[in-house]
């Protein structure tokens, strides 16, 4: 029983850490329509930022400033924000698929830097030996994992409430205006490039927070954590959950990550011995099938965006048309 | 919408049906096992990757042999195998599920150091589970163990990069090459060995003209190849994997590069030989950790051939075999099946003073008997008489190999004492 609780605690911790990155993407794509194809870059900036700022002294490289944890975490978030500001300014003219390719390139470049700039990042070996905050104070690993989950829950709640407030505010309407029709927004005297930049940087900082918590939880970060598959995973979570809906983003994370690892567990438990060697490959097929089937059933995600549903569903439009044609 | 809903329902139904069938077909398999109790161990290996699957296959083979010899404490061993997808998140999750849900006291894996490390620091060490990797060679583990962060729960049967690098330098020195260019795989293993070999060569007074990183899956390596070529090295050292190795070698030779090549064990593959062409590989010499000159080592090769109908030529196969055997012998010797208790027994089953035992069914039966009498044994494995140091690292005898028409043949053999002595002279 305690084993199950321990595993679920672990599962939820990772899922909710990823959910934060999905919320960040939801701000960029769901509300503003920015196609970020380089999520790992901002995730990685946060992760490396916190380990370098808060980690132990390194013999052969930069880092080991040993800053107090909250400052290191904020540092990680800010470094993701700074990277996003640079990328955002450079790509201010780019939209949709062009932005996607540009950000994808940034992510590949950053992974390459992490792999090669040994002085800064420890190279392919990664950075290990990070002391998790309060771990020695709490002692018991199980209690610590519960406490960590609690902190991650607080972070998710904070990000969620921040985003909900943001998108309900006039600025939130501005985001959607830019997403739906930039020219109309300009005609109202708004500046879409500024709005896009703010949204991009805020979203990237949220991704940096996710990366920071991730590196803290594993007490380790290496370029292998920045593989492009993470970008795909985060996107799958948002699309399955329903872009433009923050609750959907969190639900989608739980569903996709749950089926991602759950399918592996199920195959290990159920597949016959002689299939076990191929279970890994079957798992990929299962993961793909679950994503595709969910999207076939609910093309707009598990929890679609509420606003747009009111305006654009067929019944609604028909009702309007009928009402107008009635007399 | 209706149509897609029904598609969805039928798809899900098919999925569930498939899983149900999987479950149903499981029943006859599990009842076919002999012993009436089973003990679980965990394995996290990259089974969805081409070079990872044989490693898992070999591990399962070792488990089968041990079960044939009577299993651990009279119980059959069930190896619960999970795929890592070479993704640290997935590997750590699989390890956590094995430790928490299946309650395994021993975890085998992973292969990539970037996956093994977070498993060690965030799953096995905190939970007190013993972890034994067949294939992670990064020197970072030695540092973490020396810091006391592994609680003595970490072992690996793959000789560290230090050991392999020294042998590479020795081969280059023996052949009298005066200057060497290096290609290394741009990951933890490659960066480690590339740097160590370069440092060792400088110590030996051999010039390293340049070192070029080889990233995975590039369509062409012309830039890297020309970069090394223009420094005009007399010989070449290659620490890369077969897939990239094939592309690099083709471009290297087509641009007129030297065929005086020393290669790491990762290139010891029939695929590489066939794709490059034997005529270009006659002066290539490779290094690898070596089986000892005992009957038990050839026994592994014979058993492997009898089981799989091919030579155990892929990377990490003997190491995977030994990781399983040592773990299971230690479990047999442990008073209780907890990670710490098992880890404490590893030294007793790999005691150089103990009675030598071989890893075939008869040898294992004898080992189980001796352990039952409280005696220490010296496990003679597929990679030699394995002995771990205080950081869970092994040294190993080494051999030099070259390709021939049939596969791979041995050129020379360096006993363990020679390798260790050479490393000592290098570190002075």
């Amino acid at each position: 029983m305690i084993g199950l609780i321990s595993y679920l605690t672990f599962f939820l911790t990772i899922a909710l850490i990823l959910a934060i990155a999905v919320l960040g993407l939801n701000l960029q794509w769901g509300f503003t329509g920015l196609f970020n194809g380089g999520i790992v870059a901002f995730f990685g900036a946060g992760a490396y930022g916190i380990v370098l700022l808060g980690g132990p002294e390194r013999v052969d490289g930069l880092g080991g400033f040993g800053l107090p944890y909250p400052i290191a975490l904020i540092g990680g978030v800010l470094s993701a924000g700074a990277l996003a500001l640079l990328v955002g300014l450079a790509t201010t003219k780019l939209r949709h698929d062009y932005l996607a390719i540009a950000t994808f390139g940034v992510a590949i470049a950053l992974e390459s830097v992490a792999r090669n700039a040994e002085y800064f990042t420890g190279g392919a070996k990664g950075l290990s030996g990070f002391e998790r905050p309060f771990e020695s104070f709490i002692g018991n690993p199980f209690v610590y994992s519960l406490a960590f989950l609690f902190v991650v829950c607080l972070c998710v709640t904070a990000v969620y409430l921040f985003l909900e407030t943001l998108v309900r505010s006039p600025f939130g309407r501005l985001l959607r205006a830019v997403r739906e029709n930039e020219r109309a927004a300009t005609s109202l005297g708004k500046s879409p490039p500024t709005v896009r930049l703010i949204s991009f940087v805020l979203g990237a900082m949220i991704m940096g927070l996710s990366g920071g918590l991730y590196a803290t939880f594993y007490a380790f970060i290496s370029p292998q954590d920045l593989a492009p598959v993470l970008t795909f995973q985060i996107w799958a979570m948002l699309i399955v959950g329903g872009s433009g809906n923050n609750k959907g983003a969190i639900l989608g994370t739980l569903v996709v990550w749950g089926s991602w690892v759950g399918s592996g567990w199920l195959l290990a438990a159920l597949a016959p011995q002689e299939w076990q060697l191929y279970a890994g490959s079957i798992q990929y097929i299962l993961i793909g099938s679950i994503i595709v089937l969910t999207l076939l059933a609910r093309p707009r995600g598990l929890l679609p965006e509420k606003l747009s549903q009111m305006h654009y569903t067929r019944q609604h439009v028909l009702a309007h048309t009928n009402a107008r044609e009635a007399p | 919408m209706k149509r897609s809903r029904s598609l969805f329902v039928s798809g899900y139904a098919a999925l569930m049906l498939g899983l149900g069938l999987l479950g149903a077909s499981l029943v006859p398999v599990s009842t076919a096992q002999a012993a009436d109790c089973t003990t679980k161990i965990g394995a996290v290996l990259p089974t969805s990757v081409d070079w990872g699957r044989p490693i898992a296959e070999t591990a399962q083979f070792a488990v089968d042999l041990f079960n044939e010899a009577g299993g651990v404490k009279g119980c059959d061993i069930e190896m619960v195998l999970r795929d890592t997808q070479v993704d640290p998140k997935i590997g750590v999750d699989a390890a956590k599920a094995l430790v928490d849900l299946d309650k395994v006291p021993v975890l085998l894996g992973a292969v990539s150091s970037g996956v093994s490390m977070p498993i060690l620091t965030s799953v096995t060490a905190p939970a007190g589970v013993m972890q034994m990797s067949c294939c992670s060679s990064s020197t970072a583990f030695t540092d973490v163990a020396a810091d006391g962060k592994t609680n003595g729960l970490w072992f690996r049967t793959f000789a560290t990069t230090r050991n392999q690098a020294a042998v590479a330098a020795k081969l280059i020195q023996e052949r009298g090459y005066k200057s060497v260019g290096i290609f290394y795989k741009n990951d933890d293993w490659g960066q480690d060995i590339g740097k160590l070999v370069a440092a060792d060569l400088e110590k030996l007074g051999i010039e390293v003209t340049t070192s070029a990183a080889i990233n995975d899956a590039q369509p062409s390596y012309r830039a890297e190849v020309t970069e090394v070529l223009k420094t005009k090295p007399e010989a070449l050292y290659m620490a890369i994997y077969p897939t990239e190795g094939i592309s690099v070698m083709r471009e290297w030779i087509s641009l007129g590069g030297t065929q005086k090549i020393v290669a790491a064990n990762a290139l010891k593959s029939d695929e590489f030989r066939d794709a490059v062409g034997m005529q270009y590989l006659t002066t290539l010499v490779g290094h690898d950790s070596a089986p000892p000159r005992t009957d038990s080592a050839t026994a592994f090769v014979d058993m492997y051939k009898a089981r799989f109908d091919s030579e155990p030529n892929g990377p990490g196969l003997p190491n995977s075999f030994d990781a399983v055997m040592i773990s299971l012998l230690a479990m047999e010797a442990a008073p209780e099946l907890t990670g710490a208790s098992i880890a404490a027994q590893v030294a007793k089953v790999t005691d150089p003073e103990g009675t030598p035992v071989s890893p075939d069914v008869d040898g294992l039966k004898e080992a189980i008997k001796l352990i039952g009498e409280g005696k220490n044994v010296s496990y003679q494995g597929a990679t030699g008489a394995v002995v771990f140091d205080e950081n869970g690292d092994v040294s190993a005898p080494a051999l030099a190999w070259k390709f021939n028409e049939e596969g791979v043949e041995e050129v020379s053999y360096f006993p363990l004492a020679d390798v260790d002595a050479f490393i000592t002279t290098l570190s002075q």
Side-chain angles (χ1 to χ4, degrees):
Chain A
M1 192 58 201
I2 195 116
L4 185 65
I5 299 174
S6 166
Y7 177 72
L8 284 178
T9 310
F10 169 85
F11 170 81
L12 278 178
T13 309
I14 294 295
L16 290 177
I17 288 174
L18 294 174
I20 295 177
V22 179
L23 284 171
L25 180 65
N26 196 23
L27 175 62
Q28 295 178 340
W29 169 250
F31 294 113
T32 325
L34 297 170
F35 199 129
N36 184 348
I39 296 162
V40 286
F42 310 105
F43 185 88
Y48 273 100
I50 190 167
V51 176
L52 285 176
L53 292 172
E57 198 169 334
R58 290 175 58 206
V59 191
D60 48 2
L62 181 80
F65 299 109
L67 295 178
Y69 186 73
I71 298 180
L73 187 62
I74 292 169
V77 170
L78 288 181
S79 49
L83 178 68
L85 191 64
L86 281 176
V87 174
L89 286 174
T91 58
T92 176
K93 289 212 169 71
L94 301 181
R95 251 147 264 167
H96 310 299
D97 33 2
Y98 299 99
L99 181 65
I101 294 294
T103 44
F104 184 71
V106 170
I108 297 289
L110 197 89
E111 199 251 14
S112 198
V113 168
R115 202 173 276 283
N116 292 290
E118 281 182 54
Y119 179 75
F120 294 103
T121 63
K125 237 195 271 182
L127 294 171
S128 52
F130 186 76
E131 296 282 344
R132 302 200 281 183
F134 297 113
E135 192 175 23
S136 45
F137 175 74
I138 291 182
N140 182 332
F142 179 63
V143 177
Y144 185 76
S145 66
L146 285 176
F148 201 100
L149 176 61
F150 180 70
V151 173
V152 171
C153 282
L154 284 184
C155 291
V156 175
T157 316
V159 171
Y160 175 81
L161 290 177
F162 169 71
L163 287 182
E164 282 292 297
T165 319
L166 186 78
V167 298
R168 280 172 213 287
S169 70
F171 184 72
R173 287 195 289 278
L174 187 53
L175 290 180
R176 281 188 294 272
V178 169
R179 180 187 71 185
E180 298 298 335
N181 192 332
E182 267 192 31
R183 196 166 289 174
T186 316
S187 73
L188 294 171
K190 309 293 180 189
S191 163
T194 319
V195 174
R196 281 207 308 267
L197 185 65
I198 292 173
S199 164
F200 189 70
V201 171
L202 278 179
M205 285 167 76
I206 295 172
M207 290 167 189
L209 174 67
S210 168
L213 291 171
Y214 176 89
T216 315
F217 185 65
Y218 286 150
F220 176 70
I221 187 78
S222 82
Q224 219 166 342
D225 293 297
L226 306 186
V229 68
L230 178 66
T231 298
F232 170 74
Q233 285 162 338
I234 300 289
W235 267 101
M237 288 163 184
L238 181 64
I239 301 301
V240 165
S243 62
N245 184 321
N246 287 323
K247 283 196 195 76
I250 297 174
L251 180 68
T253 313
L254 292 172
V255 169
V256 170
W257 186 239
S259 35
W260 204 290
V261 299
S263 56
W265 181 82
L266 211 62
L267 283 166
L270 295 182
Q273 187 78 71
E274 57 272 25
W275 284 34
Q276 288 293 346
L277 284 169
Y278 302 94
S281 310
I282 301 171
Q283 191 184 348
Y284 274 114
I285 301 173
L286 276 182
I287 294 164
S289 315
I290 291 170
I291 294 175
V292 170
L293 288 174
T294 316
L295 286 178
L296 281 177
R298 303 191 63 99
R300 296 169 56 78
L302 293 170
L303 298 176
E305 185 178 7
K306 275 191 191 137
L307 260 179
S308 57
Q309 202 174 29
M310 237 169 62
H311 288 297
Y312 302 124
T313 55
R314 177 173 291 186
Q315 287 90 338
H316 202 83
V317 174
L318 279 178
H320 268 267
T321 334
N322 291 345
R324 237 180 299 157
E325 285 170 1
Chain B
M1 192 65 204
K2 270 250 167 63
R3 212 178 125 256
S4 65
R5 170 78 34 104
S6 66
L7 234 174
F8 172 67
V9 170
S10 57
Y12 248 109
L15 208 72
M16 291 305 143
L17 192 69
L19 288 174
L21 283 178
L22 283 183
S25 53
L26 162 85
V27 180
V29 173
S30 54
T31 48
Q33 303 282 330
D36 46 5
C37 57
T38 51
T39 307
K40 283 181 179 176
I41 61 168
V44 276
L45 298 166
T47 56
S48 54
V49 187
D50 51 358
W51 46 262
R53 193 172 301 135
I55 293 174
E57 240 167 357
T58 310
Q60 184 59 50
F61 171 48
V63 170
D64 292 345
L65 279 177
F66 208 96
N67 285 341
E68 224 177 292
V72 168
K73 299 186 196 295
C75 288
D76 268 354
I77 289 295
E78 183 194 346
M79 184 178 83
V80 188
L81 177 65
R82 293 285 306 267
D83 182 23
T84 64
Q85 301 182 355
V86 207
D87 180 339
K89 291 192 300 301
I90 307 290
V92 173
D93 179 89
K96 186 73 180 166
L98 287 169
V99 167
D100 281 347
L101 302 180
D102 293 306
K103 311 272 183 219
V104 300
V106 168
L107 192 76
L108 302 164
V111 173
S112 310
S113 300
V115 182
S116 299
M117 182 61 93
I119 291 177
L120 177 65
T121 54
S122 69
V123 180
T124 49
V129 167
M130 176 173 127
Q131 184 181 351
M132 190 172 293
S133 167
C134 60
C135 314
S136 293
S137 58
S138 163
T139 47
F141 291 100
T142 310
D143 302 339
V144 172
D147 280 352
K149 287 191 174 146
T150 62
N151 305 329
L153 295 163
W154 161 257
F155 300 91
R156 50 178 159 178
T157 51
F158 200 94
T160 51
T161 314
R162 177 78 212 85
N163 180 301
Q164 289 289 306
V167 178
K170 192 167 174 65
L171 285 176
I172 292 166
Q173 187 192 32
E174 270 181 358
R175 274 156 190 72
Y177 300 149
K178 294 283 172 283
S179 64
V180 179
I182 295 177
F183 286 118
Y184 63 91
K185 183 177 165 70
N186 203 4
D187 70 354
D188 41 10
W189 169 76
Q191 287 181 0
D192 249 8
I193 196 162
K195 239 193 297 180
L196 285 166
V197 168
D200 288 349
L201 290 177
E202 310 239 308
K203 277 233 171 87
L204 296 169
I206 298 164
E207 185 202 355
V208 175
T209 58
T210 186
S211 296
I214 299 295
N215 290 306
D216 280 359
Q218 272 174 218
S220 157
Y221 294 98
R222 184 156 289 237
E224 290 85 349
V225 166
T226 42
E227 182 197 333
V228 175
L229 203 57
K230 74 180 177 211
T231 62
K232 299 195 177 68
E234 183 192 353
L236 189 62
Y237 177 65
M238 295 173 79
I240 49 184
Y241 279 34
T243 316
E244 289 74 33
I246 292 166
S247 312
V248 170
M249 267 305 272
R250 282 181 176 160
E251 300 196 49
W252 177 260
I253 288 168
S254 67
L255 292 173
T258 171
Q259 291 175 25
K260 292 177 180 174
I261 294 165
V262 176
N265 55 342
L267 281 181
K268 193 177 172 187
S269 94
D270 295 342
E271 181 200 351
F272 177 74
R273 183 202 56 182
D274 295 343
V276 174
M278 194 53 223
Q279 67 269 35
Y280 303 111
L281 297 173
T282 47
T283 46
L284 180 144
V285 62
H287 61 82
D288 199 351
S289 52
R293 300 290 117 126
T294 60
D295 299 340
S296 66
T298 43
F300 165 72
V301 178
D302 293 343
M303 284 190 296
Y304 188 95
K305 276 199 268 194
R307 174 80 152 70
F308 297 107
D309 208 23
S310 67
E311 296 272 342
N313 275 352
L317 300 187
N319 315 78
S320 172
F321 184 84
D322 284 352
V324 174
M325 286 300 182
I326 293 166
S327 304
L328 295 183
L329 286 171
M331 282 171 80
E332 180 70 33
E336 48 178 332
L337 291 183
T338 63
S341 171
I342 297 167
Q345 300 299 322
V346 168
K348 282 181 112 174
V349 299
T350 56
D351 179 4
E353 312 285 306
T355 318
V357 291
S358 60
D360 51 76
V361 174
D362 291 336
L364 290 171
K365 278 188 180 152
E366 197 203 332
I368 292 170
K369 190 169 131 267
L370 288 167
I371 290 169
E373 293 164 5
K375 291 189 178 128
N376 286 8
V377 296
S378 168
Y379 170 73
Q380 308 284 317
T383 56
V386 180
V387 179
F388 296 96
D389 70 8
E390 69 274 21
N391 294 324
D393 289 341
V394 290
S395 186
L399 59 73
W401 52 268
K402 67 175 189 179
F403 289 113
N404 64 17
E405 293 303 332
E406 284 83 49
V408 173
E409 71 175 51
E410 186 183 312
V411 178
S412 57
Y413 176 69
F414 308 96
L416 185 59
D418 289 13
V419 176
D420 285 347
F422 188 65
I423 291 176
T424 320
T425 58
L426 279 175
S427 49
Q428 271 160 9

